[in-house]
Amino acid sequence: MRKNKIVTTEDILLKLCQSVSSVLTSATNSNINYSAMVQKINKTSLKPDFGCFVLFDGGFSGLVVINFTAKAALEVYTNYMRSMGMPEEELAILHTSDEVGDVLGELMNQLVGDFTNKIRKELQTNITQNQPKMLSLNKQVILSVDTNLDRPQVRRVTFSTEKNNIFYLELAMDKTEFIQLEDFEMAEDESPDSILESTQKGLTAKKEDKQEDDIASDLLDELGL
């Protein structure tokens, strides 16, 4: 008898950590790593110097919180803007600047979006997210999940930037297990580059077909047909 595959809270947390690391690494063009050890905590909280959070709901409910130190927030922001071609003199120098909050909010939106896409493909369920919220803080704020969790599970993972600045990911969700009953194929993601390439090929092919039609039409006109 085949043993059914079981996906636990820790497996879901790992998928989230992978999304955070891959999205931020790609966006900032620098290495963002996470600890192999996870910490069990009692509650999520927004902490200094900069906190971001987003709620998700659907197949299961929960809350994602990321707490940045000022140095980590500025490093992520600066590397992202540099990769986008922003001149040095136009970069914000304080983590309290609106530009820093806007960038971190957009990046959090992207990484949670990547996470929800993983969940849809790999767990065959759907979760939706709300718009991320960002706060510049000078003292700790306790933040509870605005949803009913029967058996809440709360975890914290330490992340580090390329310059060894630290930030923390916290996940609160109901204790759950996904049990795979049957095998299924996961659809592969189509990258934006491949979509653009196929679109360009299609446009090129249409242009070549049109040129051939025009040549044939001119030839028929010359023959008086």
Side-chain angles (χ1 to χ4, degrees):
M1 182 176 179
R2 183 174 67 85
K3 184 178 180 180
N4 294 328
K5 179 183 177 181
I6 298 177
V7 178
T8 65
T9 302
E10 275 63 38
D11 296 319
I12 294 173
L13 174 62
L14 178 59
K15 297 179 192 301
L16 176 59
C17 289
Q18 290 169 342
S19 289
V20 173
S21 178
S22 62
V23 169
L24 292 185
T25 294
S26 176
T28 63
N29 199 26
S30 63
N31 291 325
I32 304 292
N33 300 307
Y34 56 90
S35 170
M37 300 296 292
V38 57
Q39 181 182 3
K40 287 187 176 182
I41 56 178
N42 295 321
K43 61 183 69 176
T44 59
S45 60
L46 289 174
K47 297 177 181 177
D49 295 297
F50 199 98
C52 306
F53 69 94
V54 60
L55 288 159
F56 58 84
D57 201 4
F60 55 91
S61 301
L63 169 72
V64 178
V65 175
I66 300 182
N67 290 311
F68 293 91
T69 61
K71 289 183 177 179
L74 276 174
E75 182 183 346
V76 170
Y77 157 80
T78 301
N79 287 340
Y80 175 74
M81 297 307 288
R82 282 173 180 163
S83 69
M84 296 291 288
M86 178 69 72
E88 290 288 332
E89 62 272 13
E90 295 183 20
L91 296 176
I93 57 175
L94 297 174
H95 76 278
T96 53
S97 299
D98 290 341
E99 295 92 335
V100 176
D102 291 342
V103 165
L104 294 181
E106 174 57 31
L107 290 176
M108 188 159 190
N109 195 46
Q110 291 180 24
L111 65 88
V112 176
D114 186 81
F115 168 66
T116 58
N117 187 46
K118 278 189 173 72
I119 295 301
R120 186 182 71 253
K121 289 197 311 174
E122 299 178 23
L123 300 185
Q124 300 282 288
T125 191
N126 187 64
I127 57 175
T128 57
Q129 69 193 73
N130 72 346
Q131 190 65 27
K133 305 294 189 298
M134 295 72 63
L135 292 172
S136 176
L137 304 164
N138 56 17
K139 62 182 178 179
Q140 180 169 320
V141 176
I142 302 301
L143 181 70
S144 60
V145 181
D146 187 21
T147 187
N148 294 323
L149 298 181
D150 295 329
R151 296 180 296 168
Q153 303 287 296
V154 191
R155 304 286 188 268
R156 178 188 292 138
V157 180
T158 303
F159 281 73
S160 59
T161 67
E162 200 166 74
K163 294 182 178 179
N164 292 320
N165 291 313
I166 302 299
F167 63 94
Y168 299 93
L169 167 74
E170 296 181 3
L171 170 67
M173 60 174 287
D174 212 352
K175 184 176 182 180
T176 186
E177 290 184 349
F178 285 84
I179 303 170
Q180 182 177 337
L181 300 179
E182 295 183 349
D183 293 331
F184 60 89
E185 292 184 3
M186 287 188 292
E188 293 184 3
D189 287 335
E190 190 171 11
S191 69
D193 289 340
S194 63
I195 294 174
L196 181 59
E197 184 180 353
S198 62
T199 301
Q200 290 175 336
K201 285 181 178 178
L203 292 174
T204 302
K206 286 182 179 179
K207 185 177 180 180
E208 291 175 349
D209 290 342
K210 186 176 185 303
Q211 289 175 342
E212 290 177 359
D213 290 342
D214 290 342
I215 293 172
S217 178
D218 292 341
L219 180 60
L220 290 174
D221 288 340
E222 289 179 7
L223 295 175
L225 299 176

mmCIF file with all atom_site columns, all heavy atoms in Angstrom, residues 78-89:
data_model
loop_
_atom_site.group_PDB
_atom_site.id
_atom_site.type_symbol
_atom_site.label_atom_id
_atom_site.label_alt_id
_atom_site.label_comp_id
_atom_site.label_asym_id
_atom_site.label_entity_id
_atom_site.label_seq_id
_atom_site.pdbx_PDB_ins_code
_atom_site.Cartn_x
_atom_site.Cartn_y
_atom_site.Cartn_z
_atom_site.occupancy
_atom_site.B_iso_or_equiv
_atom_site.pdbx_formal_charge
_atom_site.auth_seq_id
_atom_site.auth_comp_id
_atom_site.auth_asym_id
_atom_site.auth_atom_id
_atom_site.pdbx_PDB_model_num
ATOM 1  N N   . THR A 1 78 ? 17.920 49.995 -1.020  1.00 0.00 ? 78 THR A N   1
ATOM 2  C CA  . THR A 1 78 ? 18.987 50.565 -1.848  1.00 0.00 ? 78 THR A CA  1
ATOM 3  C C   . THR A 1 78 ? 19.380 49.613 -2.974  1.00 0.00 ? 78 THR A C   1
ATOM 4  O O   . THR A 1 78 ? 19.519 50.031 -4.133  1.00 0.00 ? 78 THR A O   1
ATOM 5  C CB  . THR A 1 78 ? 20.220 50.886 -0.985  1.00 0.00 ? 78 THR A CB  1
ATOM 6  O OG1 . THR A 1 78 ? 19.850 51.823 0.038   1.00 0.00 ? 78 THR A OG1 1
ATOM 7  C CG2 . THR A 1 78 ? 21.335 51.497 -1.828  1.00 0.00 ? 78 THR A CG2 1
ATOM 8  N N   . ASN A 1 79 ? 19.558 48.331 -2.651  1.00 0.00 ? 79 ASN A N   1
ATOM 9  C CA  . ASN A 1 79 ? 19.948 47.364 -3.684  1.00 0.00 ? 79 ASN A CA  1
ATOM 10 C C   . ASN A 1 79 ? 18.862 47.213 -4.748  1.00 0.00 ? 79 ASN A C   1
ATOM 11 O O   . ASN A 1 79 ? 19.164 47.051 -5.938  1.00 0.00 ? 79 ASN A O   1
ATOM 12 C CB  . ASN A 1 79 ? 20.255 46.006 -3.050  1.00 0.00 ? 79 ASN A CB  1
ATOM 13 C CG  . ASN A 1 79 ? 21.572 46.004 -2.302  1.00 0.00 ? 79 ASN A CG  1
ATOM 14 O OD1 . ASN A 1 79 ? 22.437 46.854 -2.529  1.00 0.00 ? 79 ASN A OD1 1
ATOM 15 N ND2 . ASN A 1 79 ? 21.745 45.058 -1.392  1.00 0.00 ? 79 ASN A ND2 1
ATOM 16 N N   . TYR A 1 80 ? 17.614 47.258 -4.324  1.00 0.00 ? 80 TYR A N   1
ATOM 17 C CA  . TYR A 1 80 ? 16.512 47.145 -5.283  1.00 0.00 ? 80 TYR A CA  1
ATOM 18 C C   . TYR A 1 80 ? 16.504 48.341 -6.232  1.00 0.00 ? 80 TYR A C   1
ATOM 19 O O   . TYR A 1 80 ? 16.388 48.183 -7.460  1.00 0.00 ? 80 TYR A O   1
ATOM 20 C CB  . TYR A 1 80 ? 15.179 47.043 -4.548  1.00 0.00 ? 80 TYR A CB  1
ATOM 21 C CG  . TYR A 1 80 ? 13.979 47.055 -5.460  1.00 0.00 ? 80 TYR A CG  1
ATOM 22 C CD1 . TYR A 1 80 ? 13.661 45.947 -6.233  1.00 0.00 ? 80 TYR A CD1 1
ATOM 23 C CD2 . TYR A 1 80 ? 13.161 48.183 -5.557  1.00 0.00 ? 80 TYR A CD2 1
ATOM 24 C CE1 . TYR A 1 80 ? 12.561 45.957 -7.083  1.00 0.00 ? 80 TYR A CE1 1
ATOM 25 C CE2 . TYR A 1 80 ? 12.065 48.196 -6.394  1.00 0.00 ? 80 TYR A CE2 1
ATOM 26 C CZ  . TYR A 1 80 ? 11.765 47.082 -7.158  1.00 0.00 ? 80 TYR A CZ  1
ATOM 27 O OH  . TYR A 1 80 ? 10.680 47.096 -7.994  1.00 0.00 ? 80 TYR A OH  1
ATOM 28 N N   . MET A 1 81 ? 16.629 49.539 -5.671  1.00 0.00 ? 81 MET A N   1
ATOM 29 C CA  . MET A 1 81 ? 16.590 50.742 -6.499  1.00 0.00 ? 81 MET A CA  1
ATOM 30 C C   . MET A 1 81 ? 17.801 50.823 -7.424  1.00 0.00 ? 81 MET A C   1
ATOM 31 O O   . MET A 1 81 ? 17.692 51.278 -8.566  1.00 0.00 ? 81 MET A O   1
ATOM 32 C CB  . MET A 1 81 ? 16.511 51.985 -5.613  1.00 0.00 ? 81 MET A CB  1
ATOM 33 C CG  . MET A 1 81 ? 15.242 52.075 -4.765  1.00 0.00 ? 81 MET A CG  1
ATOM 34 S SD  . MET A 1 81 ? 13.716 51.915 -5.713  1.00 0.00 ? 81 MET A SD  1
ATOM 35 C CE  . MET A 1 81 ? 13.700 53.483 -6.578  1.00 0.00 ? 81 MET A CE  1
ATOM 36 N N   . ARG A 1 82 ? 18.964 50.385 -6.943  1.00 0.00 ? 82 ARG A N   1
ATOM 37 C CA  . ARG A 1 82 ? 20.158 50.351 -7.805  1.00 0.00 ? 82 ARG A CA  1
ATOM 38 C C   . ARG A 1 82 ? 19.939 49.407 -8.974  1.00 0.00 ? 82 ARG A C   1
ATOM 39 O O   . ARG A 1 82 ? 20.327 49.700 -10.111 1.00 0.00 ? 82 ARG A O   1
ATOM 40 C CB  . ARG A 1 82 ? 21.370 49.922 -6.992  1.00 0.00 ? 82 ARG A CB  1
ATOM 41 C CG  . ARG A 1 82 ? 21.961 51.021 -6.108  1.00 0.00 ? 82 ARG A CG  1
ATOM 42 C CD  . ARG A 1 82 ? 23.039 50.456 -5.221  1.00 0.00 ? 82 ARG A CD  1
ATOM 43 N NE  . ARG A 1 82 ? 23.631 51.474 -4.366  1.00 0.00 ? 82 ARG A NE  1
ATOM 44 C CZ  . ARG A 1 82 ? 24.357 51.202 -3.278  1.00 0.00 ? 82 ARG A CZ  1
ATOM 45 N NH1 . ARG A 1 82 ? 24.582 49.939 -2.932  1.00 0.00 ? 82 ARG A NH1 1
ATOM 46 N NH2 . ARG A 1 82 ? 24.849 52.193 -2.553  1.00 0.00 ? 82 ARG A NH2 1
ATOM 47 N N   . SER A 1 83 ? 19.347 48.247 -8.694  1.00 0.00 ? 83 SER A N   1
ATOM 48 C CA  . SER A 1 83 ? 19.111 47.274 -9.766  1.00 0.00 ? 83 SER A CA  1
ATOM 49 C C   . SER A 1 83 ? 18.116 47.807 -10.787 1.00 0.00 ? 83 SER A C   1
ATOM 50 O O   . SER A 1 83 ? 18.089 47.365 -11.931 1.00 0.00 ? 83 SER A O   1
ATOM 51 C CB  . SER A 1 83 ? 18.603 45.946 -9.190  1.00 0.00 ? 83 SER A CB  1
ATOM 52 O OG  . SER A 1 83 ? 17.297 46.084 -8.664  1.00 0.00 ? 83 SER A OG  1
ATOM 53 N N   . MET A 1 84 ? 17.306 48.791 -10.363 1.00 0.00 ? 84 MET A N   1
ATOM 54 C CA  . MET A 1 84 ? 16.334 49.414 -11.277 1.00 0.00 ? 84 MET A CA  1
ATOM 55 C C   . MET A 1 84 ? 16.935 50.611 -12.002 1.00 0.00 ? 84 MET A C   1
ATOM 56 O O   . MET A 1 84 ? 16.262 51.263 -12.800 1.00 0.00 ? 84 MET A O   1
ATOM 57 C CB  . MET A 1 84 ? 15.104 49.866 -10.481 1.00 0.00 ? 84 MET A CB  1
ATOM 58 C CG  . MET A 1 84 ? 14.331 48.734 -9.833  1.00 0.00 ? 84 MET A CG  1
ATOM 59 S SD  . MET A 1 84 ? 13.490 47.681 -11.032 1.00 0.00 ? 84 MET A SD  1
ATOM 60 C CE  . MET A 1 84 ? 12.188 48.778 -11.561 1.00 0.00 ? 84 MET A CE  1
ATOM 61 N N   . GLY A 1 85 ? 18.215 50.930 -11.687 1.00 0.00 ? 85 GLY A N   1
ATOM 62 C CA  . GLY A 1 85 ? 18.898 52.021 -12.374 1.00 0.00 ? 85 GLY A CA  1
ATOM 63 C C   . GLY A 1 85 ? 18.734 53.385 -11.743 1.00 0.00 ? 85 GLY A C   1
ATOM 64 O O   . GLY A 1 85 ? 19.014 54.406 -12.377 1.00 0.00 ? 85 GLY A O   1
ATOM 65 N N   . MET A 1 86 ? 18.298 53.429 -10.476 1.00 0.00 ? 86 MET A N   1
ATOM 66 C CA  . MET A 1 86 ? 18.127 54.715 -9.800  1.00 0.00 ? 86 MET A CA  1
ATOM 67 C C   . MET A 1 86 ? 19.481 55.331 -9.449  1.00 0.00 ? 86 MET A C   1
ATOM 68 O O   . MET A 1 86 ? 20.335 54.652 -8.881  1.00 0.00 ? 86 MET A O   1
ATOM 69 C CB  . MET A 1 86 ? 17.314 54.511 -8.512  1.00 0.00 ? 86 MET A CB  1
ATOM 70 C CG  . MET A 1 86 ? 17.107 55.778 -7.689  1.00 0.00 ? 86 MET A CG  1
ATOM 71 S SD  . MET A 1 86 ? 16.016 56.969 -8.488  1.00 0.00 ? 86 MET A SD  1
ATOM 72 C CE  . MET A 1 86 ? 14.426 56.147 -8.306  1.00 0.00 ? 86 MET A CE  1
ATOM 73 N N   . PRO A 1 87 ? 19.719 56.602 -9.780  1.00 0.00 ? 87 PRO A N   1
ATOM 74 C CA  . PRO A 1 87 ? 20.982 57.267 -9.434  1.00 0.00 ? 87 PRO A CA  1
ATOM 75 C C   . PRO A 1 87 ? 21.180 57.340 -7.918  1.00 0.00 ? 87 PRO A C   1
ATOM 76 O O   . PRO A 1 87 ? 20.210 57.487 -7.165  1.00 0.00 ? 87 PRO A O   1
ATOM 77 C CB  . PRO A 1 87 ? 20.819 58.675 -10.027 1.00 0.00 ? 87 PRO A CB  1
ATOM 78 C CG  . PRO A 1 87 ? 19.753 58.540 -11.064 1.00 0.00 ? 87 PRO A CG  1
ATOM 79 C CD  . PRO A 1 87 ? 18.830 57.477 -10.579 1.00 0.00 ? 87 PRO A CD  1
ATOM 80 N N   . GLU A 1 88 ? 22.438 57.252 -7.467  1.00 0.00 ? 88 GLU A N   1
ATOM 81 C CA  . GLU A 1 88 ? 22.756 57.244 -6.044  1.00 0.00 ? 88 GLU A CA  1
ATOM 82 C C   . GLU A 1 88 ? 22.220 58.484 -5.334  1.00 0.00 ? 88 GLU A C   1
ATOM 83 O O   . GLU A 1 88 ? 21.730 58.412 -4.206  1.00 0.00 ? 88 GLU A O   1
ATOM 84 C CB  . GLU A 1 88 ? 24.279 57.160 -5.849  1.00 0.00 ? 88 GLU A CB  1
ATOM 85 C CG  . GLU A 1 88 ? 24.886 55.830 -6.230  1.00 0.00 ? 88 GLU A CG  1
ATOM 86 C CD  . GLU A 1 88 ? 24.542 54.729 -5.236  1.00 0.00 ? 88 GLU A CD  1
ATOM 87 O OE1 . GLU A 1 88 ? 24.313 55.037 -4.049  1.00 0.00 ? 88 GLU A OE1 1
ATOM 88 O OE2 . GLU A 1 88 ? 24.481 53.560 -5.645  1.00 0.00 ? 88 GLU A OE2 1
ATOM 89 N N   . GLU A 1 89 ? 22.319 59.631 -5.993  1.00 0.00 ? 89 GLU A N   1
ATOM 90 C CA  . GLU A 1 89 ? 21.932 60.883 -5.331  1.00 0.00 ? 89 GLU A CA  1
ATOM 91 C C   . GLU A 1 89 ? 20.425 60.990 -5.109  1.00 0.00 ? 89 GLU A C   1
ATOM 92 O O   . GLU A 1 89 ? 19.962 61.838 -4.330  1.00 0.00 ? 89 GLU A O   1
ATOM 93 C CB  . GLU A 1 89 ? 22.422 62.095 -6.141  1.00 0.00 ? 89 GLU A CB  1
ATOM 94 C CG  . GLU A 1 89 ? 21.848 62.217 -7.535  1.00 0.00 ? 89 GLU A CG  1
ATOM 95 C CD  . GLU A 1 89 ? 22.663 61.457 -8.580  1.00 0.00 ? 89 GLU A CD  1
ATOM 96 O OE1 . GLU A 1 89 ? 23.528 60.640 -8.174  1.00 0.00 ? 89 GLU A OE1 1
ATOM 97 O OE2 . GLU A 1 89 ? 22.438 61.686 -9.781  1.00 0.00 ? 89 GLU A OE2 1
#
